Amino acid sequence: MTTRTKSPIADVDGTVVEPEQLRRALLASSVGSALEYYDFYIYGLASALIFGPLFFSPLGETGAVIASLATFGVGFAARPLAESSSATSATASAGKWSSCSRSA
């Protein structure tokens, strides 16, 4: 059952998100965030313990760990930038597609 309201959180036609749909979206986003944090935890642990000696051994022990953690840092910094740029392009393409479907 959807309710109609004049609330600012309502859609243009006044429909409000159903509570069950809101719970499902909250659960899905929470699981996705937990998996992302777990992925970064595992990658950070592997970069500190495994990737340095495996890929950067000519740099010495300390240099290998620093280079490995720098690689991890680049990935950590690049992810929000990539997400914001893809969100911007997704918003732009969604507007393009929605305007095309409205004109049809």
Side-chain angles (χ1 to χ4, degrees):
M1 174 176 111
T2 59
T3 56
R4 305 230 178 251
T5 183
K6 301 245 186 237
S7 170
I9 61 169
D11 282 344
V12 175
D13 65 349
T15 58
V16 177
V17 177
E18 295 180 13
E20 179 61 29
Q21 187 179 12
L22 187 61
R23 276 191 289 274
R24 289 180 62 197
L26 180 67
L27 177 65
S29 63
S30 298
V31 168
S33 292
L35 287 173
E36 183 178 4
Y37 286 127
Y38 179 71
D39 175 49
F40 258 101
Y41 169 74
I42 293 297
Y43 186 75
L45 187 65
S47 66
L49 300 176
I50 299 169
F51 295 155
L54 185 65
F55 295 112
F56 304 107
S57 58
L59 300 176
E61 187 175 324
T62 306
V65 171
I66 290 172
S68 177
L69 290 176
T71 306
F72 175 71
V74 167
F76 190 78
R79 184 170 285 190
L81 296 173
E83 288 174 356
S84 66
S85 68
S86 58
T88 304
S89 64
T91 304
S93 64
K96 175 184 167 190
W97 287 108
S98 64
S99 65
C100 291
S101 64
R102 277 186 245 153
S103 64

